[in-house]
Amino acid sequence: YNLTIEMETGVGKTYTYIKTMFELNEHYGWSKFIVVVPSVAIREGVYQSFLVTQEHFAEEYGKKIHFFIYHSSQPAHIDYFASDSSLHVMIINAQAFGARGKDARRIYRKLDEFRSRRPIDIIAGTNPILILDEPQSVEGKQTRQRLREFHPLFTLRYSATHKSDRIYNMVYRLDAMEAYKRRLVKKIAVKGITVTGRT
């Protein structure tokens, strides 16, 4: 299942999906989330957002969220993610699971340091909720197929610029005008263009 959330740039998309995790945990008990981002730079920014909002959300919900950046060389994080019952988030960039052939990523390999298990199998066993941050930048054909291997309970798709053929079950939309009306952005500038006497 895919649910689409459209949010104008700069109105707090990352904050919103972190809060969504807490709400889903509080109301339904769901505790495993994977945030998929299009690049290492965005991954680092998302990680920083989790750091700076940690105390804020702990005060609001009375619990902390455990979060980590996926690194295939650190299987202990995956074990903890899968075995602990508290709220957990794995942050991963699409390149970590997108390659194949001789460059296949370690997430699909049986690893000696992981007791001959494949990290993807351990993660998939939790049926995590996927959060795609900017899915139009994450989802090529191969990546869409690979995302299914996480066996997600469902997928939340957050972006300001969804591809028109990839909008599924729109559950929320905050466009530029609505963001301005709610005073979530500073200003919208409209520039007049004159073409052969028409404005």
Side-chain angles (χ1 to χ4, degrees), residues 2 121 166 169-170:
N2 285 273
D121 296 331
R166 296 232 143 307
N169 308 307
M170 179 80 71

Side-chain angles (χ1 to χ4, degrees), residues 100 108 140-150:
R100 53 182 166 165
Y108 299 107
K141 182 180 177 184
Q142 180 184 339
T143 305
R144 280 198 308 273
Q145 293 170 346
R146 295 287 193 181
L147 287 171
R148 291 187 195 112
E149 296 180 31
F150 285 112

Side-chain angles (χ1 to χ4, degrees), residues 2-65:
N2 285 273
L3 302 172
T4 298
I5 298 93
E6 183 178 312
M7 294 182 71
E8 184 61 25
T9 301
V11 296
K13 178 182 58 177
T14 307
Y15 178 91
T16 300
Y17 65 65
I18 295 171
K19 185 170 179 70
T20 299
M21 293 175 196
F22 278 98
E23 289 290 315
L24 290 172
N25 178 256
E26 188 168 277
H27 292 284
Y28 303 103
W30 294 326
S31 62
K32 307 298 182 216
F33 297 88
I34 298 176
V35 177
V36 182
V37 298
S39 69
V40 171
I42 293 173
R43 183 192 71 190
E44 297 302 320
V46 167
Y47 183 81
Q48 286 302 312
S49 293
F50 274 93
L51 277 175
V52 300
T53 61
Q54 188 173 34
E55 293 305 319
H56 163 74
F57 284 118
E59 285 177 21
E60 185 174 348
Y61 291 95
K63 64 178 81 169
K64 286 197 173 183
I65 195 167

Side-chain angles (χ1 to χ4, degrees), residues 13 38 132-140 157-163 166:
K13 178 182 58 177
L132 303 186
D133 190 330
E134 304 297 338
Q136 74 280 1
S137 300
V138 168
E139 285 188 309
R157 308 163 64 82
Y158 285 82
S159 180
T161 54
H162 291 282
K163 288 184 179 177
R166 296 232 143 307

Side-chain angles (χ1 to χ4, degrees), residues 78-122:
I78 295 167
D79 259 343
Y80 187 50
F81 175 88
S83 61
D84 185 69
S85 63
S86 55
L87 188 53
H88 285 266
V89 181
M90 179 174 78
I91 307 163
I92 188 169
N93 55 298
Q95 298 84 353
F97 57 87
R100 53 182 166 165
K102 70 182 182 87
D103 295 323
R105 303 297 190 210
R106 288 171 46 96
I107 196 168
Y108 299 107
R109 294 187 193 149
K110 290 183 178 178
L111 303 176
D112 290 340
E113 67 269 30
F114 207 43
R115 300 184 297 283
S116 296
R117 298 175 298 164
R118 295 187 334 153
I120 189 68
D121 296 331
I122 303 305

